[in-house]
Coordinates of all heavy atoms in Angstrom, one line a residue:
F91 N 98.1 87.2 91.4 CA 97.9 88.6 91.5 C 96.9 89.2 90.4 O 96.0 90.0 90.7 CB 99.2 89.4 91.4 CG 99.1 90.8 91.2 CD1 98.8 91.7 92.2 CD2 99.3 91.4 89.9 CE1 98.6 93.1 92.0 CE2 99.2 92.7 89.7 CZ 98.9 93.6 90.7
I98 N 88.8 92.5 91.6 CA 88.6 93.8 92.2 C 88.2 94.8 91.0 O 87.4 95.7 91.2 CB 89.9 94.3 92.9 CG1 90.1 93.5 94.2 CG2 89.8 95.8 93.2 CD1 91.3 93.8 94.9
N105 N 87.1 99.6 95.5 CA 88.2 100.4 94.9 C 88.8 101.4 95.9 O 88.6 102.6 95.8 CB 87.7 101.2 93.7 CG 88.9 101.8 92.8 OD1 90.0 101.5 93.2 ND2 88.5 102.5 91.8
P106 N 89.4 100.8 96.9 CA 90.0 101.7 98.0 C 91.2 102.4 97.6 O 91.8 103.2 98.3 CB 90.3 100.7 99.1 CG 90.6 99.4 98.3 CD 89.7 99.4 97.1
F107 N 91.7 102.2 96.4 CA 93.0 102.7 96.0 C 92.9 104.1 95.2 O 93.9 104.7 94.9 CB 93.8 101.7 95.1 CG 94.0 100.5 95.8 CD1 93.2 99.4 95.7 CD2 95.1 100.3 96.7 CE1 93.4 98.2 96.3 CE2 95.3 99.1 97.4 CZ 94.5 98.1 97.2
S108 N 91.7 104.5 94.9 CA 91.5 105.7 94.2 C 90.5 106.6 95.0 O 89.8 106.1 95.9 CB 90.9 105.5 92.8 OG 89.6 105.0 92.9
L159 N 98.2 99.2 89.9 CA 98.6 98.5 91.2 C 99.8 97.7 91.1 O 100.5 97.5 92.0 CB 97.4 97.6 91.6 CG 96.2 98.4 92.3 CD1 95.1 97.4 92.6 CD2 96.7 99.0 93.6
L161 N 102.5 98.5 90.1 CA 103.7 99.3 90.4 C 104.2 99.0 91.8 O 105.4 99.2 92.2 CB 103.5 100.8 90.2 CG 103.2 101.2 88.8 CD1 102.8 102.7 88.8 CD2 104.3 101.0 87.9
F162 N 103.3 98.5 92.7 CA 103.7 98.2 94.0 C 104.6 97.0 94.1 O 105.4 96.9 95.1 CB 102.4 97.9 94.9 CG 101.7 99.1 95.4 CD1 100.7 99.6 94.7 CD2 102.1 99.6 96.6 CE1 100.0 100.8 95.2 CE2 101.4 100.7 97.1 CZ 100.4 101.3 96.4
I163 N 104.6 96.1 93.1 CA 105.4 94.9 93.2 C 106.9 95.3 93.1 O 107.7 94.9 94.0 CB 105.0 93.9 92.1 CG1 103.6 93.4 92.4 CG2 106.0 92.8 92.0 CD1 103.1 92.4 91.3
M165 N 108.3 98.1 93.6 CA 108.6 98.9 94.8 C 108.9 98.1 96.0 O 109.9 98.3 96.7 CB 107.5 99.9 95.0 CG 107.7 100.9 96.2 SD 106.2 101.7 96.7 CE 105.3 100.4 97.4
Y166 N 108.0 97.2 96.3 CA 108.2 96.3 97.5 C 109.4 95.4 97.3 O 110.2 95.1 98.3 CB 107.0 95.5 97.8 CG 105.9 96.3 98.6 CD1 104.6 96.4 98.1 CD2 106.2 96.9 99.8 CE1 103.6 97.1 98.8 CE2 105.3 97.6 100.5 CZ 104.0 97.7 100.0 OH 103.0 98.4 100.7
F169 N 112.5 97.2 98.1 CA 112.6 97.4 99.5 C 113.1 96.2 100.2 O 114.0 96.2 101.1 CB 111.3 97.9 100.1 CG 111.4 98.3 101.5 CD1 111.8 99.6 101.8 CD2 111.0 97.5 102.6 CE1 111.9 100.0 103.2 CE2 111.1 97.9 103.9 CZ 111.6 99.1 104.2
A188 N 107.2 89.7 97.2 CA 106.4 91.0 97.1 C 105.1 90.8 96.4 O 104.1 91.4 96.7 CB 107.3 92.0 96.3
Y191 N 102.7 89.2 98.7 CA 102.3 90.1 99.8 C 101.2 91.1 99.2 O 100.2 91.4 99.9 CB 103.5 90.9 100.3 CG 103.1 92.1 101.2 CD1 102.3 91.9 102.3 CD2 103.4 93.4 100.8 CE1 101.9 92.9 103.1 CE2 103.1 94.4 101.6 CZ 102.3 94.2 102.8 OH 101.9 95.3 103.6
L192 N 101.4 91.6 98.0 CA 100.5 92.6 97.4 C 99.2 91.9 97.2 O 98.1 92.5 97.3 CB 101.0 93.2 96.2 CG 100.2 94.2 95.5 CD1 99.8 95.4 96.4 CD2 100.8 94.7 94.2
T193 N 99.2 90.6 96.8 CA 98.0 89.9 96.5 C 97.2 89.7 97.8 O 96.0 89.9 97.9 CB 98.3 88.5 96.0 OG1 99.0 88.6 94.8 CG2 97.0 87.7 95.7
F194 N 97.9 89.5 98.9 CA 97.2 89.4 100.2 C 96.6 90.8 100.6 O 95.5 90.8 101.1 CB 98.2 89.0 101.3 CG 97.7 89.2 102.7 CD1 96.8 88.2 103.2 CD2 98.0 90.3 103.5 CE1 96.3 88.4 104.5 CE2 97.5 90.4 104.8 CZ 96.6 89.5 105.3
V195 N 97.3 91.8 100.3 CA 96.8 93.2 100.6 C 95.5 93.4 99.8 O 94.5 93.9 100.4 CB 97.8 94.2 100.2 CG1 97.2 95.6 100.2 CG2 99.0 94.2 101.2
L196 N 95.5 93.0 98.6 CA 94.2 93.2 97.8 C 93.1 92.4 98.3 O 92.0 92.9 98.4 CB 94.5 92.8 96.3 CG 95.6 93.6 95.5 CD1 95.7 93.1 94.1 CD2 95.2 95.1 95.6
L197 N 93.4 91.2 98.7 CA 92.3 90.3 99.2 C 91.8 90.8 100.6 O 90.6 90.7 100.9 CB 92.8 88.9 99.3 CG 92.9 88.1 98.0 CD1 93.6 86.8 98.2 CD2 91.5 87.9 97.4
A198 N 92.7 91.3 101.4 CA 92.3 91.9 102.7 C 91.4 93.1 102.5 O 90.4 93.2 103.2 CB 93.6 92.2 103.5
F199 N 91.8 93.9 101.5 CA 90.9 95.1 101.2 C 89.6 94.6 100.7 O 88.5 95.2 101.1 CB 91.6 96.0 100.2 CG 92.3 97.1 100.8 CD1 93.7 97.2 100.7 CD2 91.7 98.2 101.4 CE1 94.4 98.3 101.2 CE2 92.3 99.2 102.0 CZ 93.7 99.3 101.9
L200 N 89.6 93.6 99.9 CA 88.3 93.1 99.4 C 87.4 92.6 100.5 O 86.2 93.0 100.6 CB 88.6 91.9 98.4 CG 87.4 91.2 97.8 CD1 86.5 92.2 97.1 CD2 87.8 90.1 96.9
I202 N 87.5 93.5 103.7 CA 87.2 94.5 104.6 C 86.1 95.5 104.0 O 85.2 96.0 104.7 CB 88.4 95.4 105.1 CG1 88.2 96.0 106.5 CG2 88.7 96.4 104.1 CD1 88.3 95.0 107.6
L228 N 88.9 100.4 110.9 CA 89.2 99.5 109.8 C 90.6 99.6 109.3 O 91.3 98.6 109.0 CB 88.2 99.8 108.6 CG 86.7 99.5 108.9 CD1 85.9 99.7 107.7 CD2 86.5 98.0 109.4
S229 N 91.1 100.9 109.2 CA 92.5 101.1 108.8 C 93.5 100.4 109.8 O 94.5 99.9 109.4 CB 92.8 102.6 108.7 OG 91.9 103.2 107.7
T230 N 93.2 100.5 111.1 CA 94.0 99.9 112.1 C 94.0 98.4 111.9 O 95.1 97.7 112.0 CB 93.6 100.3 113.5 OG1 93.6 101.7 113.6 CG2 94.5 99.7 114.5
I231 N 92.8 97.8 111.7 CA 92.7 96.4 111.5 C 93.5 95.9 110.3 O 94.3 94.9 110.4 CB 91.3 96.0 111.4 CG1 90.5 96.2 112.7 CG2 91.1 94.5 111.0 CD1 89.0 96.0 112.6
L232 N 93.4 96.7 109.2 CA 94.2 96.3 108.0 C 95.7 96.4 108.3 O 96.5 95.5 107.9 CB 93.8 97.2 106.9 CG 92.5 96.9 106.2 CD1 92.1 98.0 105.2 CD2 92.6 95.5 105.5
S233 N 96.1 97.5 108.9 CA 97.6 97.7 109.2 C 98.1 96.5 110.1 O 99.2 96.0 109.8 CB 97.8 99.0 109.9 OG 97.5 100.1 109.1
V234 N 97.4 96.2 111.1 CA 97.8 95.1 112.0 C 97.9 93.7 111.2 O 98.8 93.0 111.3 CB 96.8 94.9 113.2 CG1 97.1 93.6 113.9 CG2 96.9 96.1 114.1
S235 N 96.9 93.5 110.3 CA 96.9 92.3 109.5 C 98.1 92.3 108.5 O 98.7 91.2 108.3 CB 95.6 92.2 108.7 OG 95.5 93.1 107.7
F236 N 98.4 93.5 108.0 CA 99.6 93.5 107.1 C 100.9 93.2 107.8 O 101.8 92.5 107.4 CB 99.7 94.9 106.5 CG 98.6 95.3 105.6 CD1 98.3 96.6 105.3 CD2 97.7 94.3 105.0 CE1 97.2 97.0 104.5 CE2 96.6 94.7 104.2 CZ 96.4 96.0 104.0
I237 N 101.0 93.8 109.0 CA 102.2 93.6 109.9 C 102.3 92.1 110.3 O 103.4 91.5 110.2 CB 102.2 94.5 111.1 CG1 102.3 96.0 110.7 CG2 103.3 94.1 112.1 CD1 102.1 96.9 111.8
L240 N 103.3 90.0 107.2 CA 104.7 90.2 106.9 C 105.6 89.5 107.9 O 106.6 88.9 107.4 CB 105.0 91.7 106.8 CG 104.5 92.3 105.5 CD1 104.6 93.8 105.6 CD2 105.4 91.9 104.3
V258 N 111.3 94.9 109.9 CA 110.8 95.0 108.5 C 109.3 94.9 108.4 O 108.6 95.7 107.7 CB 111.5 93.9 107.6 CG1 110.9 94.0 106.2 CG2 113.0 94.1 107.5
A259 N 108.7 94.0 109.2 CA 107.2 93.8 109.1 C 106.5 95.1 109.6 O 105.6 95.6 109.0 CB 106.8 92.6 110.0
V260 N 107.0 95.7 110.7 CA 106.4 96.9 111.2 C 106.6 98.1 110.3 O 105.7 98.8 110.0 CB 107.0 97.2 112.6 CG1 106.5 98.6 113.1 CG2 106.6 96.1 113.6
L261 N 107.8 98.2 109.7 CA 108.1 99.3 108.8 C 107.3 99.2 107.5 O 106.6 100.2 107.1 CB 109.6 99.3 108.5 CG 110.1 100.4 107.5 CD1 109.8 101.8 108.2 CD2 111.5 100.3 107.2
V262 N 107.2 98.0 106.9 CA 106.5 97.9 105.6 C 105.0 97.9 105.8 O 104.3 98.6 105.2 CB 107.0 96.6 104.9 CG1 106.2 96.4 103.6 CG2 108.5 96.7 104.6
G263 N 104.6 97.0 106.8 CA 103.1 96.9 107.0 C 102.5 98.2 107.6 O 101.4 98.6 107.2
G264 N 103.3 98.8 108.5 CA 102.7 100.1 109.1 C 102.8 101.3 108.2 O 102.1 102.3 108.5
S265 N 103.6 101.2 107.2 CA 103.7 102.4 106.3 C 102.7 102.3 105.1 O 102.8 103.2 104.2 CB 105.1 102.6 105.8 OG 105.5 101.5 105.0
F266 N 101.9 101.3 105.0 CA 101.1 101.1 103.8 C 100.3 102.3 103.5 O 100.2 102.7 102.3 CB 100.3 99.8 103.9 CG 99.4 99.6 102.7 CD1 99.9 99.1 101.5 CD2 98.1 100.1 102.7 CE1 99.0 98.9 100.4 CE2 97.2 99.9 101.6 CZ 97.7 99.4 100.5
F267 N 99.5 102.8 104.4 CA 98.6 103.9 104.2 C 99.3 105.2 103.8 O 98.7 106.0 103.1 CB 97.6 104.0 105.3 CG 96.6 103.0 105.4 CD1 96.8 101.9 106.3 CD2 95.5 103.0 104.6 CE1 95.8 100.8 106.3 CE2 94.5 102.0 104.7 CZ 94.7 100.9 105.5
Y268 N 100.5 105.3 104.2 CA 101.3 106.5 103.8 C 101.7 106.3 102.3 O 101.6 107.3 101.5 CB 102.6 106.7 104.7 CG 102.3 107.0 106.1 CD1 102.3 106.0 107.1 CD2 101.9 108.3 106.5 CE1 102.0 106.3 108.4 CE2 101.6 108.6 107.8 CZ 101.7 107.5 108.8 OH 101.4 107.8 110.1
L269 N 102.1 105.1 102.0 CA 102.4 104.8 100.6 C 101.2 105.0 99.7 O 101.2 105.4 98.5 CB 103.0 103.4 100.4 CG 104.4 103.2 101.1 CD1 104.8 101.8 100.9 CD2 105.4 104.1 100.4
L270 N 100.0 104.6 100.3 CA 98.8 104.7 99.5 C 98.5 106.1 99.2 O 98.0 106.4 98.1 CB 97.6 104.1 100.4 CG 96.2 104.1 99.7 CD1 96.3 103.3 98.4 CD2 95.2 103.5 100.7
Q271 N 98.8 107.1 100.1 CA 98.6 108.5 99.8 C 99.5 109.0 98.6 O 99.1 109.7 97.8 CB 98.8 109.3 101.0 CG 97.8 109.1 102.2 CD 96.4 109.5 101.8 OE1 95.7 108.9 101.0 NE2 95.9 110.5 102.5
V272 N 100.7 108.5 98.7 CA 101.6 108.8 97.6 C 101.1 108.2 96.2 O 101.2 108.9 95.2 CB 103.0 108.2 97.9 CG1 104.0 108.4 96.7 CG2 103.6 108.9 99.1
Y273 N 100.6 107.0 96.3 CA 100.0 106.4 95.1 C 98.9 107.2 94.6 O 98.7 107.3 93.4 CB 99.6 104.9 95.5 CG 99.0 104.2 94.3 CD1 99.7 103.8 93.2 CD2 97.7 103.8 94.4 CE1 99.2 103.1 92.2 CE2 97.1 103.1 93.4 CZ 97.8 102.7 92.3 OH 97.2 102.0 91.2
R274 N 98.0 107.6 95.5 CA 96.9 108.4 95.1 C 97.3 109.7 94.4 O 96.6 110.2 93.5 CB 95.9 108.7 96.3 CG 95.2 107.4 96.7 CD 94.5 107.6 98.1 NE 93.6 106.5 98.4 CZ 93.0 106.3 99.6 NH1 93.3 107.2 100.6 NH2 92.2 105.3 99.8

Side-chain angles (χ1 to χ4, degrees):
F91 165 77
I98 291 179
N105 192 3
F107 301 95
S108 72
L159 282 174
L161 296 177
F162 277 93
I163 294 177
M165 180 193 68
Y166 278 126
F169 189 81
Y191 170 58
L192 182 57
T193 304
F194 170 78
V195 169
L196 297 182
L197 286 171
F199 263 113
L200 175 60
I202 208 75
L228 295 183
S229 298
T230 302
I231 292 174
L232 282 172
S233 294
V234 171
S235 70
F236 298 158
I237 293 172
L240 279 168
V258 175
V260 172
L261 181 60
V262 177
S265 64
F266 175 81
F267 285 97
Y268 296 100
L269 295 176
L270 182 59
Q271 296 293 68
V272 175
Y273 178 69
R274 286 168 170 169

